[in-house]
Amino acid sequence: MNSVLNSMLERYECRTTEDYKNALKEIIQEVALCGLSRGDFFKTAAFYGGTALRIFYGLDRFSEDMDFSLCAPDPDFALSAYFPFLQEELAAAGFTLTVEQKIKSKESDVQSAFSKGETVIQLLNIAPIEPPVAGVASGEQVKIKFEIDTNPPAAATYETKYALLPIPFAVKMYDEPSLFAGKLHAVLCRAWKNRVKGRDFYDLVWYLSRRTKPNLAHLQKRLEQSGRWNPAEMLTTDALKTLLCDRFAQIDFEAAKKDVMPFIQDSRKLDLWGAEFFCAIVQEI
């Protein structure tokens, strides 16, 4: 294990195989970000979503996917142009991973790719000892999903964040109000394989605990793009609260809890979850 990966792993208190696998995913994500940065990806794109919150804001849950958005629509954008930078950076860190485009069955503004490789091999790269490898199924794959929106909603605002490992690099990302707007849109509109995505509701509580104010202009553009808001009207805070409370009344919060449980360490944070709880806390927006 090289000294850089050792420094990255030391940030985690790994005790179980699952702890090591979660740490592995995050280390791969940060190495991938470094590769994208070195390839000038962030001259035209920005980082957002749960993994952005985890890496740069300390969100206390693990996140699997990496979400990006172009800063301006570009139907000719090709995510595959950045694969060589990803592969070069991952290989330099000692990871044996492939990067492949996901071929979609229907047209979409969102382009997807996966970085994947055998879990045991990658674990041995960050922690070449027996305990984290024990219990990993033969042939099990670690997989990181990348997605980028090539037709982004307008009115997002941005900031630059810096990371020091594996080497110092810069990342353009949505600022916190715009990140919150994206999460509110997910809470209102996301249909995830006909199941509720509890991680969205966990993140909503996190934003509210920080007293973050959403970028309402950006949220309105997102809702318009989803066909959920009339462009002739202006989205207000009161209207947003009404939309959210209507949405909470439709949610199976027991299913939401089950979704988020594998990604958090303290399940007591979910004890109060229910429509009444969420409707009450969003009054603080």
Side-chain angles (χ1 to χ4, degrees):
M1 174 171 59
N2 67 48
S3 60
V4 171
L5 294 185
N6 185 44
S7 296
M8 297 176 82
L9 184 61
E10 284 177 350
R11 297 176 299 183
Y12 302 88
E13 296 180 0
C14 295
R15 298 185 180 89
T16 68
T17 300
E18 285 303 311
D19 291 340
Y20 277 100
K21 289 198 289 187
N22 284 329
L24 170 66
K25 289 177 183 177
E26 287 199 350
I27 290 170
I28 292 172
Q29 288 168 344
E30 292 186 60
V31 173
L33 277 177
C34 180
L36 290 171
S37 179
R38 295 178 73 180
D40 290 335
F41 177 78
F42 295 107
K43 285 186 175 180
T44 56
F47 192 27
Y48 76 104
T51 303
L53 292 180
R54 173 74 177 176
I55 292 174
F56 290 106
Y57 284 96
L59 174 67
D60 61 339
R61 74 163 178 87
F62 289 100
S63 181
E64 295 180 305
D65 303 334
M66 303 187 74
D67 299 309
F68 305 94
S69 173
L70 291 182
C71 299
D74 181 2
D76 298 321
F77 178 84
L79 181 59
S80 58
Y82 297 90
F83 289 0
F85 299 103
L86 282 169
Q87 290 175 318
E88 180 180 351
E89 203 66 40
L90 291 166
F95 292 113
T96 309
L97 297 161
T98 61
V99 183
E100 302 173 0
Q101 186 100 19
K102 180 181 179 182
I103 306 301
K104 297 197 172 184
S105 57
K106 59 181 181 180
E107 287 295 316
S108 170
D109 292 326
V110 176
Q111 295 183 22
S112 303
F114 290 97
S115 178
K116 57 186 178 180
E118 190 171 348
T119 300
V120 167
I121 294 174
Q122 317 315 319
L123 280 173
L124 288 171
N125 188 40
I126 67 164
I129 53 177
E130 182 64 24
V133 176
V136 178
S138 176
E140 180 179 327
Q141 299 269 304
V142 59
K143 183 184 291 186
I144 307 295
K145 185 179 182 181
F146 304 85
E147 286 197 334
I148 185 163
D149 186 351
T150 63
N151 185 29
T157 45
Y158 309 96
E159 63 181 334
T160 299
K161 291 285 189 179
Y162 298 93
L164 300 180
L165 293 172
I167 63 170
F169 65 95
V171 173
K172 180 188 284 185
M173 56 187 293
Y174 278 29
D175 64 11
E176 196 167 342
S178 296
L179 286 167
F180 191 21
K183 182 55 60 177
L184 287 166
H185 176 262
V187 166
L188 289 167
C189 301
R190 194 193 309 258
W192 186 62
K193 298 181 180 179
N194 298 317
R195 290 181 289 155
V196 60
K197 194 164 185 179
R199 283 159 276 182
D200 289 335
F201 294 87
Y202 189 87
D203 295 354
L204 173 60
V205 175
W206 182 86
Y207 278 112
L208 292 170
S209 73
R210 293 170 61 90
R211 299 186 180 276
T212 306
K213 298 299 181 183
N215 178 342
L216 285 178
H218 181 56
L219 176 56
Q220 177 169 335
K221 293 300 182 183
R222 283 186 172 273
L223 291 170
E224 288 175 7
Q225 195 176 69
S226 301
R228 299 288 296 274
W229 191 259
N230 181 355
E233 299 179 14
M234 180 176 291
L235 179 65
T236 64
T237 302
D238 286 342
L240 171 60
K241 293 174 184 177
T242 298
L243 288 174
L244 287 167
C245 288
D246 289 346
R247 173 65 168 156
F248 299 148
Q250 303 168 2
I251 297 299
D252 180 346
F253 282 102
E254 290 305 311
K257 291 179 185 181
K258 289 179 182 178
D259 170 73
V260 77
M261 281 287 288
F263 301 93
I264 63 174
Q265 294 181 324
D266 188 353
S267 63
R268 294 175 301 174
K269 293 185 175 183
L270 313 181
D271 287 350
L272 294 177
W273 277 28
E276 182 179 354
F277 167 70
F278 278 96
C279 197
I281 64 174
V282 298
Q283 301 310 311
E284 300 300 316
I285 292 178

